[in-house]
Amino acid sequence: MSYQVDEKGYYGDFGGAYIPEMLYPNVEELRRQYLDIMKEESFQKEFKELLRDYVGRPTPLYYAERFSKKYGTKVYLKREDLCHTGAHKINNTVGQILMAKRLGKNRIIAETGAGQHGVATATVCALMGIECIVYMGEIDIDRQAPNVARMKMLGATVIPAKSGSRTLKDATNEAIRDWINNPVDTHYIIGSVVGPHPYPDMVARFQAVISEEIKVQLKEKENRENPDYVVACVGGGSNAAGAYYHYLDTPEVGIIAVEAAGKGIDSGKSAATSVLGKEGIIHGSKTLLMQSEDGQITEPYSISAGLDYPGVGPMHANLFRSGRGEFISITDEAAMKAGLQLAKLEGIIPAIESSHALAIFEDRKFKEDDIVVVNLSGRGDKDLSTYIDYFQL
Amino acid sequence: MNRIKNTLSQDKKLLSIYFTAGYPEPEDTVSIIKDLEKNGVDFIEIGLPFSDPLADGPTIQESSGVALKNGMTTKKLFQQLDGIREEVEIPLIIMGYFNPILQFGVEEFCKRCAAVGIDGLIIPDLPVEEYNEKYRVIFEKYGLSNIFLITPQTSEERIRFIDSVSEGFIYMVSTASVTGSTKGFTQETRDYFRRISEMKLRNPQIVGFGISDEETYGQATEFAKGAIIGSAFIKHLNSSGKQDISGFVKRIRPV
């Protein structure tokens, strides 16, 4: 049994393409072509060159000595925080902009929550000279002013999503509506491993460079390709999908997914989808999602804007249901402490999303000779004001 | 004979109205249905409100939001519709997104639909392939017609496939847009209406999206069997309440 997508676009029970007919031609065009395009030599060449020269890959695999010593195990950090624009998100936007060009699209739309994916999309659109429209919840626009300014500097048009709860899920709805209204010339760059097939698989493949590099780097450092565990935070789950990708079907590598418990699982203010979600349909995919008994999608909460999504990618829903992945929820408080601790122990200020993954070591114990790779998905610059408020810095 | 097929066999152009259940007031569902029938509407789509209606423009989104705030649920809709067949004869179709139906249980949902006298379903985000593979048997067991959408971008091959799976009519989306567009129809759109009519499909076509007045209704029904009005009716309810439903219907289709 494989944990990769099957030919019908499912990961076990999850995935598929639950989309209105208006989206069918676009999604079908992509489904028919994405694998062939990705296999083209010219595509691979261009993708790899941009990842190297523009994004700054490979990102280091760094042995966190003081952190390891504190927790009595061997911890490596995969430094996605050192990517251009500050997070792993750009791996996917570089891939998708090249895909869009080959599909002959001249207009790009994207959704964004905290603004990281919006910035990564605006960046590659500037690089390619392609029109870029980013949908962002009205509430998020107020909360994330610096990223809104970045997108504008990069030439993107930021359109506020004013429907529903006016956050990420509504920005995604608005982007999908835009795609319905512009079915011919537009490509939708989804930022996570969510949405209708083939998006979860395509985004995972673009992010797979993370685990591809881990294999090579770990071989150099430890003379083995496989760590004992790979740990990543999961909102929609794109950095996790990339970090797990080449280990999914290697059972000796433990997969640990860290979700945001917010103010606590039972507090009513949480984003821990695996615990609180039920099977359903969100943004074109069958997956686990937080919803009312009546099937209305509920609004999640996390201090980290990148983790408060009411669903989770279908790959992760399957890792959870099958037991292949170990799922841990981390509260705001534990994550914030872990972020501050990494700054003091290693001189690295992580994004609050990534801080969730770092926080598991307090309770989840590993053996002394275990090799644990934590995907440090982003840097903390964007979260400075949250850190300042939280710790009264 | 199934009420939908009966209505479609009438020798006239049909007018269907969509409204969101539980809007503007939670208990308006049944009275709006009765008023629409009394004023000559041929069949009705009852919108099951959803928090994230992907294919809908601002008007229907807002009505869904209000209905949900009013406490509308799937369970409540079935309670309201209980006994409707003692008073209403025209076909009734529920239009809703798939997630609330999935949570209710697809079989339980179909069973309740059949029990209260619903004739068909329109579920925009349930693709025809999934329906065919997993749910068709259940829908057919309870005698429900599932209505599929086609758009100007749908290929001829796919239209033929959808026609082969459909029982009732084909919901022909007028233009590439979400619901509630009021721009009027271009020559290109009218050519599309003609093209589909010339395909001589098994199922008649009913046009929806972008129909808001007598002119667009007339253009839509030039080649198709009928047309559906949604957002324009919701706007009417919003501005005039339930008072002048007869006036609204007469403005679309003067007697």
Side-chain angles (χ1 to χ4, degrees), chain B residues 14-26:
Chain B
L14 303 177
L15 172 63
S16 174
I17 299 281
Y18 166 96
F19 75 101
T20 306
Y23 177 87
E25 299 297 329

Side-chain angles (χ1 to χ4, degrees), chain A residues 127-149:
Chain A
L127 179 69
M128 298 293 170
I130 295 181
E131 183 187 2
C132 178
I133 292 108
V134 179
Y135 289 90
M136 187 170 185
E138 204 170 35
I139 289 180
D140 291 332
I141 287 181
D142 290 339
R143 290 195 289 204
Q144 310 286 342
N147 273 343
V148 176

Side-chain angles (χ1 to χ4, degrees), chain A residues 98-391:
Chain A
L98 298 178
M99 180 71 62
K101 272 173 70 179
R102 278 160 178 81
L103 292 169
K105 309 288 180 177
N106 55 27
R107 180 174 174 273
I108 295 295
I109 54 172
E111 84 296 339
T112 197
Q116 289 306 104
H117 173 60
V119 168
T121 305
T123 298
V124 296
C125 286
L127 179 69
M128 298 293 170
I130 295 181
E131 183 187 2
C132 178
I133 292 108
V134 179
Y135 289 90
M136 187 170 185
E138 204 170 35
I139 289 180
D140 291 332
I141 287 181
D142 290 339
R143 290 195 289 204
Q144 310 286 342
N147 273 343
V148 176
R150 279 186 190 103
M151 287 184 269
K152 286 182 179 165
M153 279 186 76
L154 293 160
T157 306
V158 180
I159 301 183
K162 297 180 177 180
S163 60
S165 51
R166 295 176 288 146
T167 58
L168 176 58
K169 86 175 167 72
D170 310 284
T172 309
N173 291 340
E174 289 302 330
I176 292 174
R177 288 180 187 122
D178 180 306
W179 213 19
I180 288 174
N181 290 330
N182 296 283
V184 180
D185 63 342
T186 299
H187 176 71
Y188 177 18
I189 300 190
I190 296 184
S192 192
V193 287
V194 301
H197 177 68
Y199 275 103
D201 184 50
M202 179 173 70
V203 176
R205 284 170 188 266
F206 287 138
Q207 293 293 357
V209 64
I210 298 172
S211 47
E212 191 183 314
E213 288 174 6
I214 295 173
K215 282 192 141 185
V216 175
Q217 292 166 323
L218 205 59
K219 180 87 182 161
E220 283 168 10
K221 291 177 195 295
E222 297 281 347
N223 198 28
R224 54 189 271 200
E225 285 189 340
N226 299 336
D228 295 290
Y229 298 93
V230 185
V231 183
C233 63
V234 174
S238 67
N239 92 81
Y244 305 157
Y245 194 86
H246 291 286
Y247 297 121
L248 284 171
D249 294 323
T250 311
E252 58 268 33
V253 178
I255 284 174
I256 299 181
V258 187
E259 291 182 312
K263 293 186 189 298
I265 295 286
D266 301 321
S267 66
K269 284 191 163 293
S270 177
T273 308
S274 69
V275 186
L276 299 168
K278 283 183 299 177
E279 190 172 321
I281 311 282
I282 182 170
H283 299 139
S285 179
K286 186 183 270 185
T287 187
L288 296 171
L289 63 125
M290 292 167 58
Q291 53 185 314
S292 70
E293 199 188 325
D294 191 45
Q296 309 300 336
I297 299 173
T298 52
E299 189 59 14
Y301 163 83
S302 163
I303 193 166
S304 141
L307 299 182
D308 69 2
Y309 182 66
V312 64
M315 173 200 281
H316 303 301
N318 185 46
L319 292 174
F320 176 73
R321 180 166 286 179
S322 64
R324 171 73 181 96
E326 176 183 346
F327 280 66
I328 297 175
S329 318
I330 291 295
T331 61
D332 289 353
E333 191 188 354
M336 295 303 284
K337 278 186 188 159
L340 187 63
Q341 176 176 267
L342 191 77
K344 296 213 189 304
L345 283 178
E346 299 288 350
I348 298 168
I349 300 175
I352 300 172
E353 290 81 1
S354 320
S355 298
H356 284 73
L358 295 162
I360 66 163
F361 293 88
E362 285 293 322
D363 292 323
R364 172 68 166 87
K365 295 301 168 198
F366 297 91
K367 293 201 284 277
E368 207 179 314
D369 60 349
D370 275 345
I371 294 178
V372 184
V373 175
V374 178
N375 197 35
L376 199 72
S377 55
R379 71 177 83 127
D381 305 28
K382 71 180 175 62
D383 295 319
L384 217 52
S385 68
T386 310
Y387 281 124
I388 290 168
D389 290 347
Y390 195 88
F391 294 112

Side-chain angles (χ1 to χ4, degrees), chain A residues 67-110:
Chain A
F67 188 90
S68 296
K69 203 171 165 197
K70 176 169 167 66
Y71 291 109
T73 189
K74 290 182 91 169
V75 179
Y76 281 90
L77 302 177
K78 179 60 175 162
R79 298 290 309 275
E80 292 301 297
D81 59 315
L82 296 176
C83 288
H84 179 42
T85 73
H88 71 289
K89 289 286 183 193
I90 197 161
N91 302 328
N92 168 48
T93 60
V94 167
Q96 285 207 48
I97 198 79
L98 298 178
M99 180 71 62
K101 272 173 70 179
R102 278 160 178 81
L103 292 169
K105 309 288 180 177
N106 55 27
R107 180 174 174 273
I108 295 295
I109 54 172

Side-chain angles (χ1 to χ4, degrees), chain B residues 234-251:
Chain B
I234 303 279
K235 276 185 195 154
H236 172 81
L237 287 176
N238 191 23
S239 61
S240 316
K242 291 166 291 173
Q243 306 316 314
D244 189 29
I245 288 182
S246 84
F248 179 83
V249 175
K250 281 192 192 106
R251 280 193 291 280

Side-chain angles (χ1 to χ4, degrees), chain A residues 19-32 105 179 183, chain B residues 151-155 158:
Chain A
I19 47 169
E21 191 60 31
M22 293 79 97
L23 287 177
Y24 181 85
N26 270 326
V27 173
E28 179 63 10
E29 177 187 34
L30 192 62
R31 190 191 66 80
R32 267 191 282 110
K105 309 288 180 177
W179 213 19
Chain B
T151 81
Q153 276 74 39
T154 311
S155 69
R158 189 165 168 83

